[in-house]
Structure formats: C-alpha cells, structure tokens
Short mmCIF file of all heavy atoms in Angstrom, two decimals:
data_model
loop_
_atom_site.label_atom_id
_atom_site.label_comp_id
_atom_site.label_asym_id
_atom_site.label_seq_id
_atom_site.Cartn_x
_atom_site.Cartn_y
_atom_site.Cartn_z
N MET F 1 -166.59 181.36 -122.77
CA MET F 1 -166.62 182.62 -122.06
C MET F 1 -165.18 183.01 -121.76
O MET F 1 -164.40 182.21 -121.28
CB MET F 1 -167.42 182.46 -120.77
CG MET F 1 -167.67 183.75 -120.04
SD MET F 1 -168.81 183.57 -118.65
CE MET F 1 -170.26 182.94 -119.45
N GLN F 2 -164.85 184.24 -122.07
CA GLN F 2 -163.50 184.76 -121.87
C GLN F 2 -163.59 186.11 -121.17
O GLN F 2 -164.52 186.88 -121.42
CB GLN F 2 -162.79 184.96 -123.21
CG GLN F 2 -162.59 183.71 -124.00
CD GLN F 2 -161.23 183.10 -123.75
OE1 GLN F 2 -160.29 183.80 -123.42
NE2 GLN F 2 -161.13 181.81 -123.91
N ALA F 3 -162.60 186.41 -120.31
CA ALA F 3 -162.56 187.71 -119.64
C ALA F 3 -161.13 188.24 -119.65
O ALA F 3 -160.19 187.49 -119.43
CB ALA F 3 -163.05 187.60 -118.21
N ILE F 4 -161.01 189.51 -119.93
CA ILE F 4 -159.74 190.23 -119.79
C ILE F 4 -159.94 191.20 -118.64
O ILE F 4 -160.89 191.99 -118.65
CB ILE F 4 -159.37 190.98 -121.08
CG1 ILE F 4 -159.19 189.99 -122.24
CG2 ILE F 4 -158.12 191.83 -120.87
CD1 ILE F 4 -159.01 190.64 -123.58
N VAL F 5 -159.06 191.11 -117.63
CA VAL F 5 -159.23 191.90 -116.41
C VAL F 5 -158.06 192.86 -116.28
O VAL F 5 -156.90 192.47 -116.44
CB VAL F 5 -159.29 190.97 -115.17
CG1 VAL F 5 -159.46 191.77 -113.90
CG2 VAL F 5 -160.41 189.95 -115.32
N GLN F 6 -158.36 194.12 -115.96
CA GLN F 6 -157.33 195.15 -115.77
C GLN F 6 -157.63 195.94 -114.52
O GLN F 6 -158.78 196.33 -114.29
CB GLN F 6 -157.30 196.08 -116.99
CG GLN F 6 -156.24 197.14 -116.90
CD GLN F 6 -156.21 198.02 -118.14
OE1 GLN F 6 -156.97 197.82 -119.08
NE2 GLN F 6 -155.34 198.99 -118.13
N ARG F 7 -156.61 196.15 -113.70
CA ARG F 7 -156.76 197.03 -112.54
C ARG F 7 -156.84 198.47 -113.00
O ARG F 7 -156.13 198.85 -113.93
CB ARG F 7 -155.52 196.95 -111.64
CG ARG F 7 -155.48 195.90 -110.66
CD ARG F 7 -154.26 195.99 -109.80
NE ARG F 7 -153.05 196.29 -110.57
CZ ARG F 7 -151.87 196.51 -110.05
NH1 ARG F 7 -151.71 196.47 -108.76
NH2 ARG F 7 -150.83 196.76 -110.79
N ILE F 8 -157.67 199.26 -112.34
CA ILE F 8 -157.73 200.69 -112.66
C ILE F 8 -157.71 201.51 -111.37
O ILE F 8 -158.13 201.04 -110.32
CB ILE F 8 -158.99 201.05 -113.49
CG1 ILE F 8 -160.29 200.70 -112.74
CG2 ILE F 8 -158.96 200.37 -114.84
CD1 ILE F 8 -161.54 201.24 -113.39
N SER F 9 -157.19 202.72 -111.47
CA SER F 9 -157.21 203.63 -110.32
C SER F 9 -158.47 204.47 -110.33
O SER F 9 -158.93 204.92 -109.29
CB SER F 9 -155.97 204.52 -110.31
OG SER F 9 -155.87 205.23 -111.53
N ASP F 10 -159.02 204.70 -111.50
CA ASP F 10 -160.32 205.35 -111.65
C ASP F 10 -160.80 205.11 -113.08
O ASP F 10 -160.02 204.79 -113.95
CB ASP F 10 -160.26 206.85 -111.34
CG ASP F 10 -159.37 207.60 -112.30
OD1 ASP F 10 -159.84 207.94 -113.40
OD2 ASP F 10 -158.19 207.85 -111.96
N GLY F 11 -162.10 205.23 -113.28
CA GLY F 11 -162.63 205.00 -114.61
C GLY F 11 -164.05 205.52 -114.74
O GLY F 11 -164.68 205.89 -113.75
N HIS F 12 -164.52 205.56 -115.97
CA HIS F 12 -165.89 205.99 -116.21
C HIS F 12 -166.41 205.34 -117.49
O HIS F 12 -165.64 204.87 -118.32
CB HIS F 12 -166.00 207.51 -116.30
CG HIS F 12 -165.35 208.09 -117.50
ND1 HIS F 12 -164.03 208.45 -117.52
CD2 HIS F 12 -165.82 208.34 -118.75
CE1 HIS F 12 -163.72 208.93 -118.71
NE2 HIS F 12 -164.79 208.87 -119.48
N VAL F 13 -167.73 205.33 -117.63
CA VAL F 13 -168.40 204.84 -118.82
C VAL F 13 -169.17 206.00 -119.40
O VAL F 13 -169.91 206.68 -118.69
CB VAL F 13 -169.38 203.69 -118.48
CG1 VAL F 13 -170.15 203.24 -119.71
CG2 VAL F 13 -168.63 202.52 -117.86
N SER F 14 -168.99 206.23 -120.70
CA SER F 14 -169.74 207.31 -121.33
C SER F 14 -170.56 206.77 -122.49
O SER F 14 -170.14 205.83 -123.18
CB SER F 14 -168.79 208.43 -121.81
OG SER F 14 -167.89 207.92 -122.75
N VAL F 15 -171.72 207.36 -122.69
CA VAL F 15 -172.61 207.02 -123.79
C VAL F 15 -172.92 208.31 -124.53
O VAL F 15 -173.39 209.27 -123.92
CB VAL F 15 -173.91 206.36 -123.27
CG1 VAL F 15 -174.86 206.08 -124.43
CG2 VAL F 15 -173.61 205.08 -122.50
N ASP F 16 -172.62 208.33 -125.80
CA ASP F 16 -172.81 209.53 -126.62
C ASP F 16 -172.14 210.75 -126.00
O ASP F 16 -172.70 211.85 -125.98
CB ASP F 16 -174.30 209.80 -126.85
CG ASP F 16 -174.96 208.73 -127.70
OD1 ASP F 16 -174.27 208.16 -128.58
OD2 ASP F 16 -176.16 208.47 -127.50
N GLY F 17 -170.94 210.55 -125.42
CA GLY F 17 -170.19 211.65 -124.84
C GLY F 17 -170.60 212.06 -123.44
O GLY F 17 -170.00 212.93 -122.84
N GLU F 18 -171.63 211.42 -122.89
CA GLU F 18 -172.10 211.75 -121.54
C GLU F 18 -171.69 210.64 -120.57
O GLU F 18 -171.94 209.46 -120.83
CB GLU F 18 -173.62 211.88 -121.54
CG GLU F 18 -174.20 212.24 -120.19
CD GLU F 18 -175.71 212.35 -120.21
OE1 GLU F 18 -176.28 212.57 -121.30
OE2 GLU F 18 -176.31 212.21 -119.14
N ILE F 19 -171.06 211.02 -119.45
CA ILE F 19 -170.65 210.04 -118.45
C ILE F 19 -171.89 209.52 -117.73
O ILE F 19 -172.65 210.29 -117.16
CB ILE F 19 -169.64 210.64 -117.45
CG1 ILE F 19 -168.35 211.03 -118.18
CG2 ILE F 19 -169.35 209.67 -116.31
CD1 ILE F 19 -167.32 211.73 -117.32
N VAL F 20 -172.08 208.17 -117.78
CA VAL F 20 -173.25 207.56 -117.16
C VAL F 20 -172.89 206.78 -115.89
O VAL F 20 -173.78 206.43 -115.11
CB VAL F 20 -174.01 206.65 -118.15
CG1 VAL F 20 -174.59 207.48 -119.29
CG2 VAL F 20 -173.12 205.55 -118.68
N ALA F 21 -171.60 206.50 -115.70
CA ALA F 21 -171.15 205.80 -114.49
C ALA F 21 -169.67 206.07 -114.31
O ALA F 21 -168.94 206.30 -115.28
CB ALA F 21 -171.40 204.31 -114.60
N GLU F 22 -169.22 206.08 -113.05
CA GLU F 22 -167.80 206.25 -112.77
C GLU F 22 -167.45 205.57 -111.46
O GLU F 22 -168.32 205.30 -110.64
CB GLU F 22 -167.40 207.73 -112.75
CG GLU F 22 -168.16 208.60 -111.79
CD GLU F 22 -167.83 210.07 -112.00
OE1 GLU F 22 -166.68 210.39 -112.31
OE2 GLU F 22 -168.75 210.87 -111.86
N CYS F 23 -166.17 205.25 -111.30
CA CYS F 23 -165.72 204.59 -110.08
C CYS F 23 -164.27 204.98 -109.81
O CYS F 23 -163.59 205.51 -110.66
CB CYS F 23 -165.84 203.08 -110.19
SG CYS F 23 -164.68 202.31 -111.31
N GLY F 24 -163.84 204.68 -108.60
CA GLY F 24 -162.45 204.87 -108.23
C GLY F 24 -161.68 203.59 -108.48
O GLY F 24 -161.87 202.92 -109.49
N LYS F 25 -160.83 203.22 -107.55
CA LYS F 25 -160.02 202.02 -107.66
C LYS F 25 -160.90 200.79 -107.88
O LYS F 25 -161.90 200.59 -107.18
CB LYS F 25 -159.23 201.87 -106.35
CG LYS F 25 -158.15 200.86 -106.36
CD LYS F 25 -157.41 200.94 -105.03
CE LYS F 25 -156.18 200.10 -105.02
NZ LYS F 25 -155.48 200.19 -103.73
N GLY F 26 -160.56 199.98 -108.87
CA GLY F 26 -161.38 198.82 -109.15
C GLY F 26 -160.86 198.02 -110.32
O GLY F 26 -159.66 198.03 -110.61
N LEU F 27 -161.76 197.34 -111.00
CA LEU F 27 -161.42 196.48 -112.13
C LEU F 27 -162.20 196.88 -113.37
O LEU F 27 -163.36 197.24 -113.30
CB LEU F 27 -161.76 195.01 -111.82
CG LEU F 27 -161.04 194.36 -110.67
CD1 LEU F 27 -161.57 192.95 -110.45
CD2 LEU F 27 -159.55 194.33 -110.91
N TYR F 28 -161.52 196.79 -114.50
CA TYR F 28 -162.13 196.93 -115.81
C TYR F 28 -162.16 195.53 -116.39
O TYR F 28 -161.12 194.88 -116.48
CB TYR F 28 -161.29 197.87 -116.68
CG TYR F 28 -161.75 197.98 -118.11
CD1 TYR F 28 -162.81 198.80 -118.45
CD2 TYR F 28 -161.12 197.27 -119.11
CE1 TYR F 28 -163.24 198.90 -119.76
CE2 TYR F 28 -161.53 197.36 -120.43
CZ TYR F 28 -162.59 198.18 -120.74
OH TYR F 28 -163.02 198.28 -122.04
N VAL F 29 -163.34 195.03 -116.74
CA VAL F 29 -163.47 193.67 -117.25
C VAL F 29 -164.10 193.71 -118.63
O VAL F 29 -165.21 194.21 -118.81
CB VAL F 29 -164.34 192.79 -116.31
CG1 VAL F 29 -164.45 191.37 -116.86
CG2 VAL F 29 -163.76 192.78 -114.90
N LEU F 30 -163.36 193.18 -119.61
CA LEU F 30 -163.89 193.02 -120.96
C LEU F 30 -164.33 191.56 -121.04
O LEU F 30 -163.51 190.65 -120.91
CB LEU F 30 -162.82 193.32 -122.00
CG LEU F 30 -163.21 193.19 -123.46
CD1 LEU F 30 -164.33 194.16 -123.80
CD2 LEU F 30 -162.01 193.45 -124.35
N LEU F 31 -165.62 191.33 -121.22
CA LEU F 31 -166.18 189.99 -121.15
C LEU F 31 -166.74 189.57 -122.49
O LEU F 31 -167.51 190.30 -123.11
CB LEU F 31 -167.30 189.97 -120.09
CG LEU F 31 -167.97 188.65 -119.80
CD1 LEU F 31 -166.98 187.64 -119.24
CD2 LEU F 31 -169.12 188.86 -118.83
N GLY F 32 -166.34 188.38 -122.93
CA GLY F 32 -166.85 187.80 -124.16
C GLY F 32 -167.77 186.63 -123.84
O GLY F 32 -167.36 185.70 -123.16
N VAL F 33 -169.00 186.69 -124.31
CA VAL F 33 -170.01 185.67 -124.01
C VAL F 33 -170.67 185.25 -125.32
O VAL F 33 -170.93 186.08 -126.19
CB VAL F 33 -171.08 186.23 -123.05
CG1 VAL F 33 -172.10 185.18 -122.69
CG2 VAL F 33 -170.45 186.81 -121.80
N THR F 34 -170.97 183.94 -125.44
CA THR F 34 -171.72 183.46 -126.60
C THR F 34 -173.03 182.85 -126.14
O THR F 34 -173.24 182.64 -124.94
CB THR F 34 -170.94 182.38 -127.39
OG1 THR F 34 -170.92 181.17 -126.64
CG2 THR F 34 -169.52 182.83 -127.70
N HIS F 35 -173.87 182.54 -127.08
CA HIS F 35 -175.18 181.93 -126.77
C HIS F 35 -175.04 180.55 -126.15
O HIS F 35 -175.97 180.05 -125.53
CB HIS F 35 -176.04 181.87 -128.03
CG HIS F 35 -175.48 180.99 -129.11
ND1 HIS F 35 -174.46 181.41 -129.93
CD2 HIS F 35 -175.77 179.72 -129.46
CE1 HIS F 35 -174.16 180.44 -130.76
NE2 HIS F 35 -174.93 179.40 -130.50
N GLU F 36 -173.87 179.92 -126.29
CA GLU F 36 -173.65 178.59 -125.72
C GLU F 36 -173.23 178.64 -124.25
O GLU F 36 -173.24 177.61 -123.58
CB GLU F 36 -172.59 177.85 -126.53
CG GLU F 36 -173.01 177.58 -127.96
CD GLU F 36 -171.89 177.00 -128.80
OE1 GLU F 36 -170.77 176.86 -128.30
OE2 GLU F 36 -172.15 176.69 -129.97
N ASP F 37 -172.84 179.81 -123.75
CA ASP F 37 -172.40 179.94 -122.36
C ASP F 37 -173.59 179.83 -121.41
O ASP F 37 -174.68 180.32 -121.70
CB ASP F 37 -171.66 181.26 -122.14
CG ASP F 37 -170.33 181.30 -122.88
OD1 ASP F 37 -169.66 180.25 -122.93
OD2 ASP F 37 -169.97 182.37 -123.38
N GLU F 38 -173.35 179.19 -120.28
CA GLU F 38 -174.40 178.97 -119.28
C GLU F 38 -174.29 179.97 -118.14
O GLU F 38 -173.21 180.50 -117.87
CB GLU F 38 -174.28 177.54 -118.72
CG GLU F 38 -174.39 176.45 -119.75
CD GLU F 38 -175.79 176.25 -120.25
OE1 GLU F 38 -176.73 176.52 -119.48
OE2 GLU F 38 -175.95 175.84 -121.42
N LYS F 39 -175.39 180.20 -117.44
CA LYS F 39 -175.42 181.10 -116.28
C LYS F 39 -174.43 180.67 -115.21
O LYS F 39 -173.78 181.50 -114.60
CB LYS F 39 -176.83 181.13 -115.68
CG LYS F 39 -177.52 182.42 -115.77
CD LYS F 39 -178.84 182.35 -115.01
CE LYS F 39 -179.80 183.32 -115.64
NZ LYS F 39 -181.07 183.38 -114.95
N GLU F 40 -174.33 179.38 -114.98
CA GLU F 40 -173.43 178.86 -113.95
C GLU F 40 -171.98 179.20 -114.27
O GLU F 40 -171.19 179.53 -113.38
CB GLU F 40 -173.61 177.35 -113.78
CG GLU F 40 -172.91 176.77 -112.58
CD GLU F 40 -173.34 177.41 -111.26
OE1 GLU F 40 -174.52 177.77 -111.10
OE2 GLU F 40 -172.47 177.57 -110.38
N GLU F 41 -171.60 179.14 -115.55
CA GLU F 41 -170.25 179.52 -115.96
C GLU F 41 -169.99 180.99 -115.64
O GLU F 41 -168.91 181.35 -115.17
CB GLU F 41 -170.06 179.31 -117.47
CG GLU F 41 -170.01 177.87 -117.91
CD GLU F 41 -169.94 177.78 -119.41
OE1 GLU F 41 -170.99 177.97 -120.06
OE2 GLU F 41 -168.83 177.53 -119.94
N ALA F 42 -170.97 181.83 -115.90
CA ALA F 42 -170.83 183.26 -115.62
C ALA F 42 -170.66 183.51 -114.13
O ALA F 42 -169.83 184.32 -113.71
CB ALA F 42 -172.05 184.02 -116.14
N LYS F 43 -171.43 182.80 -113.31
CA LYS F 43 -171.32 182.95 -111.86
C LYS F 43 -169.95 182.52 -111.36
O LYS F 43 -169.34 183.19 -110.52
CB LYS F 43 -172.41 182.14 -111.15
CG LYS F 43 -173.78 182.71 -111.31
CD LYS F 43 -174.82 181.84 -110.61
CE LYS F 43 -176.22 182.39 -110.83
NZ LYS F 43 -177.23 181.54 -110.19
N LEU F 44 -169.43 181.40 -111.88
CA LEU F 44 -168.10 180.93 -111.48
C LEU F 44 -167.01 181.92 -111.89
O LEU F 44 -166.08 182.20 -111.12
CB LEU F 44 -167.82 179.55 -112.09
CG LEU F 44 -168.63 178.39 -111.52
CD1 LEU F 44 -168.42 177.13 -112.36
CD2 LEU F 44 -168.26 178.14 -110.08
N LEU F 45 -167.11 182.45 -113.11
CA LEU F 45 -166.12 183.41 -113.58
C LEU F 45 -166.17 184.70 -112.76
O LEU F 45 -165.14 185.23 -112.37
CB LEU F 45 -166.32 183.71 -115.06
CG LEU F 45 -165.31 184.65 -115.71
CD1 LEU F 45 -163.89 184.11 -115.57
CD2 LEU F 45 -165.65 184.86 -117.18
N ALA F 46 -167.36 185.19 -112.47
CA ALA F 46 -167.51 186.41 -111.66
C ALA F 46 -166.91 186.20 -110.28
O ALA F 46 -166.19 187.06 -109.76
CB ALA F 46 -168.98 186.80 -111.55
N ASP F 47 -167.16 185.04 -109.68
CA ASP F 47 -166.61 184.72 -108.36
C ASP F 47 -165.09 184.68 -108.40
O ASP F 47 -164.42 185.19 -107.51
CB ASP F 47 -167.17 183.39 -107.87
CG ASP F 47 -166.82 183.10 -106.43
OD1 ASP F 47 -167.03 184.00 -105.58
OD2 ASP F 47 -166.33 181.99 -106.15
N LYS F 48 -164.55 184.10 -109.45
CA LYS F 48 -163.09 184.01 -109.61
C LYS F 48 -162.47 185.41 -109.74
O LYS F 48 -161.45 185.71 -109.13
CB LYS F 48 -162.77 183.16 -110.85
CG LYS F 48 -161.31 182.91 -111.06
CD LYS F 48 -161.11 181.98 -112.25
CE LYS F 48 -159.65 181.66 -112.45
NZ LYS F 48 -159.44 180.73 -113.56
N ILE F 49 -163.11 186.27 -110.54
CA ILE F 49 -162.59 187.63 -110.74
C ILE F 49 -162.61 188.42 -109.44
O ILE F 49 -161.65 189.10 -109.10
CB ILE F 49 -163.39 188.35 -111.85
CG1 ILE F 49 -163.07 187.70 -113.21
CG2 ILE F 49 -163.08 189.84 -111.87
CD1 ILE F 49 -163.98 188.15 -114.34
N VAL F 50 -163.70 188.30 -108.69
CA VAL F 50 -163.83 189.04 -107.42
C VAL F 50 -162.76 188.61 -106.42
O VAL F 50 -162.28 189.42 -105.62
CB VAL F 50 -165.25 188.84 -106.83
CG1 VAL F 50 -165.33 189.32 -105.40
CG2 VAL F 50 -166.27 189.57 -107.68
N LYS F 51 -162.33 187.35 -106.49
CA LYS F 51 -161.35 186.83 -105.53
C LYS F 51 -159.90 186.97 -105.98
O LYS F 51 -158.99 186.65 -105.22
CB LYS F 51 -161.65 185.36 -105.25
CG LYS F 51 -162.94 185.17 -104.48
CD LYS F 51 -163.21 183.70 -104.24
CE LYS F 51 -164.50 183.52 -103.46
NZ LYS F 51 -164.85 182.10 -103.30
N MET F 52 -159.67 187.47 -107.20
CA MET F 52 -158.28 187.63 -107.69
C MET F 52 -157.53 188.61 -106.80
O MET F 52 -158.00 189.71 -106.55
CB MET F 52 -158.29 188.15 -109.13
CG MET F 52 -158.78 187.18 -110.15
SD MET F 52 -158.93 187.91 -111.80
CE MET F 52 -157.22 188.24 -112.18
N ARG F 53 -156.35 188.22 -106.34
CA ARG F 53 -155.53 189.08 -105.48
C ARG F 53 -154.59 189.92 -106.35
O ARG F 53 -153.45 189.53 -106.59
CB ARG F 53 -154.74 188.23 -104.49
CG ARG F 53 -155.64 187.51 -103.52
CD ARG F 53 -154.84 186.57 -102.66
NE ARG F 53 -155.69 186.01 -101.64
CZ ARG F 53 -155.49 186.18 -100.34
NH1 ARG F 53 -154.45 186.86 -99.91
NH2 ARG F 53 -156.32 185.65 -99.48
N ILE F 54 -155.10 191.07 -106.80
CA ILE F 54 -154.33 191.89 -107.73
C ILE F 54 -154.14 193.33 -107.27
O ILE F 54 -153.64 194.15 -108.02
CB ILE F 54 -154.95 191.85 -109.15
CG1 ILE F 54 -156.37 192.36 -109.15
CG2 ILE F 54 -154.89 190.46 -109.73
CD1 ILE F 54 -156.98 192.47 -110.53
N PHE F 55 -154.51 193.60 -106.02
CA PHE F 55 -154.30 194.94 -105.47
C PHE F 55 -153.27 194.88 -104.35
O PHE F 55 -153.21 193.90 -103.60
CB PHE F 55 -155.61 195.53 -104.93
CG PHE F 55 -156.60 195.85 -106.01
CD1 PHE F 55 -157.61 194.96 -106.33
CD2 PHE F 55 -156.49 197.02 -106.74
CE1 PHE F 55 -158.51 195.24 -107.34
CE2 PHE F 55 -157.39 197.31 -107.76
CZ PHE F 55 -158.39 196.42 -108.06
N SER F 56 -152.47 195.92 -104.23
CA SER F 56 -151.38 195.95 -103.24
C SER F 56 -151.92 196.17 -101.84
O SER F 56 -152.84 196.95 -101.62
CB SER F 56 -150.40 197.08 -103.58
OG SER F 56 -149.81 196.83 -104.83
N ASP F 57 -151.29 195.48 -100.88
CA ASP F 57 -151.61 195.68 -99.46
C ASP F 57 -150.68 196.76 -98.88
O ASP F 57 -149.95 197.43 -99.63
CB ASP F 57 -151.52 194.38 -98.68
CG ASP F 57 -150.12 193.76 -98.66
OD1 ASP F 57 -149.14 194.44 -99.03
OD2 ASP F 57 -150.01 192.59 -98.26
N GLU F 58 -150.69 196.92 -97.56
CA GLU F 58 -149.87 197.96 -96.91
C GLU F 58 -148.37 197.72 -97.08
O GLU F 58 -147.56 198.63 -96.93
CB GLU F 58 -150.23 198.08 -95.43
CG GLU F 58 -149.95 196.85 -94.59
CD GLU F 58 -151.04 195.80 -94.66
OE1 GLU F 58 -152.13 196.05 -95.21
OE2 GLU F 58 -150.80 194.69 -94.14
N ASN F 59 -147.96 196.49 -97.43
CA ASN F 59 -146.55 196.16 -97.66
C ASN F 59 -146.20 196.16 -99.14
O ASN F 59 -145.16 195.64 -99.54
CB ASN F 59 -146.22 194.80 -97.04
CG ASN F 59 -146.39 194.80 -95.55
OD1 ASN F 59 -146.02 195.76 -94.87
ND2 ASN F 59 -146.99 193.75 -95.02
N ASP F 60 -147.08 196.71 -99.97
CA ASP F 60 -146.90 196.81 -101.42
C ASP F 60 -146.82 195.44 -102.09
O ASP F 60 -146.18 195.28 -103.11
CB ASP F 60 -145.69 197.67 -101.77
CG ASP F 60 -145.82 198.31 -103.14
OD1 ASP F 60 -146.97 198.55 -103.57
OD2 ASP F 60 -144.79 198.56 -103.78
N LYS F 61 -147.46 194.44 -101.49
CA LYS F 61 -147.55 193.10 -102.07
C LYS F 61 -148.94 192.94 -102.70
O LYS F 61 -149.93 193.38 -102.13
CB LYS F 61 -147.38 192.01 -101.00
CG LYS F 61 -146.09 192.08 -100.25
CD LYS F 61 -145.13 191.11 -100.80
CE LYS F 61 -143.87 191.14 -99.93
NZ LYS F 61 -142.83 190.39 -100.47
N MET F 62 -149.00 192.33 -103.86
CA MET F 62 -150.30 192.11 -104.51
C MET F 62 -151.01 190.99 -103.76
O MET F 62 -150.85 189.82 -104.08
CB MET F 62 -150.10 191.80 -105.98
CG MET F 62 -149.60 192.99 -106.75
SD MET F 62 -149.32 192.65 -108.49
CE MET F 62 -150.97 192.56 -109.09
N ASN F 63 -151.78 191.38 -102.75
CA ASN F 63 -152.36 190.42 -101.83
C ASN F 63 -153.83 190.71 -101.50
O ASN F 63 -154.40 190.04 -100.66
CB ASN F 63 -151.53 190.40 -100.53
CG ASN F 63 -151.80 189.20 -99.69
OD1 ASN F 63 -152.14 188.13 -100.20
ND2 ASN F 63 -151.66 189.34 -98.40
N LEU F 64 -154.44 191.70 -102.19
CA LEU F 64 -155.83 192.06 -101.89
C LEU F 64 -156.70 191.86 -103.13
O LEU F 64 -156.27 192.13 -104.25
CB LEU F 64 -155.93 193.51 -101.43
CG LEU F 64 -155.17 193.87 -100.16
CD1 LEU F 64 -155.26 195.38 -99.90
CD2 LEU F 64 -155.69 193.09 -98.97
N SER F 65 -157.92 191.44 -102.91
CA SER F 65 -158.88 191.28 -104.01
C SER F 65 -159.77 192.52 -104.09
O SER F 65 -159.74 193.38 -103.20
CB SER F 65 -159.73 190.04 -103.77
OG SER F 65 -160.60 190.27 -102.66
N VAL F 66 -160.58 192.60 -105.12
CA VAL F 66 -161.52 193.70 -105.25
C VAL F 66 -162.54 193.65 -104.10
O VAL F 66 -163.00 194.68 -103.61
CB VAL F 66 -162.20 193.74 -106.63
CG1 VAL F 66 -163.19 192.62 -106.81
CG2 VAL F 66 -162.84 195.07 -106.90
N ALA F 67 -162.85 192.45 -103.63
CA ALA F 67 -163.75 192.31 -102.48
C ALA F 67 -163.10 192.90 -101.22
O ALA F 67 -163.77 193.50 -100.40
CB ALA F 67 -164.10 190.84 -102.25
N ASP F 68 -161.78 192.74 -101.10
CA ASP F 68 -161.06 193.27 -99.93
C ASP F 68 -161.02 194.79 -99.90
O ASP F 68 -161.08 195.40 -98.84
CB ASP F 68 -159.62 192.75 -99.88
CG ASP F 68 -159.54 191.24 -99.68
OD1 ASP F 68 -160.41 190.68 -99.00
OD2 ASP F 68 -158.59 190.64 -100.22
N ILE F 69 -160.91 195.40 -101.09
CA ILE F 69 -160.79 196.87 -101.12
C ILE F 69 -162.14 197.56 -101.21
O ILE F 69 -162.24 198.78 -101.10
CB ILE F 69 -159.89 197.35 -102.28
CG1 ILE F 69 -160.50 197.05 -103.64
CG2 ILE F 69 -158.49 196.77 -102.15
CD1 ILE F 69 -159.87 197.83 -104.75
N GLY F 70 -163.21 196.77 -101.43
CA GLY F 70 -164.56 197.34 -101.49
C GLY F 70 -164.85 197.97 -102.81
O GLY F 70 -165.63 198.87 -102.98
#
C-alpha cells in the first residue's frame, strides 16, 4: 500500500465534466492498493495521514494536522 499526500487550498472531483464533490483547505491523497493489502494496513495508513503535521499554525510553522484544521 502506497500513498502520495499533497496539501491543497481547495479542490474538487468531477465525473464526466460534472463536479460531484468539493472542499476547501485539506489533503489530496493518491492511494495505491493491491489485493494483498489488509484492512488493518489501510486503517494504520489513514490514521498516519490524518495525524501528519503539514499545515501552518498562527506562527507560520508546519505544526497542524488535517484533524486540527477540521
């Protein structure tokens, strides 16, 4: 299981040219999964991604996670 994580200021998902979902500040995650990957691995990776401190705090330090910013 592999994940590429990118911070975004806003984003959307479109299907056949129609926007089906959108968000503000958050994460874009490209996830690679195979049939050999287990549910527990996915849960651990999701937990790790949610806790990554990659958003700036009030002092412009990368010290906030996606859970912190909501």
Side-chain angles (χ1 to χ4, degrees):
M1 187 172 302
Q2 297 266 333
I4 298 172
V5 180
Q6 182 178 359
R7 274 184 317 176
I8 60 170
S9 56
D10 63 82
H12 69 271
V13 176
S14 60
V15 177
D16 293 329
E18 181 181 338
I19 296 175
V20 295
E22 56 189 324
C23 70
K25 191 175 188 180
L27 298 176
Y28 174 81
V29 180
L30 180 62
L31 183 63
V33 182
T34 72
H35 63 281
E36 296 173 357
D37 292 323
E38 301 287 331
K39 245 186 208 183
E40 191 57 36
E41 290 175 283
K43 288 179 183 179
L44 290 171
L45 183 58
D47 189 50
K48 185 176 182 178
I49 291 170
V50 167
K51 292 179 179 176
M52 291 174 66
R53 294 174 173 242
I54 60 175
F55 291 97
S56 297
D57 63 13
E58 63 277 351
N59 297 318
D60 206 28
K61 301 261 185 188
M62 292 179 73
N63 196 30
L64 299 175
S65 69
V66 72
D68 295 327
I69 66 164

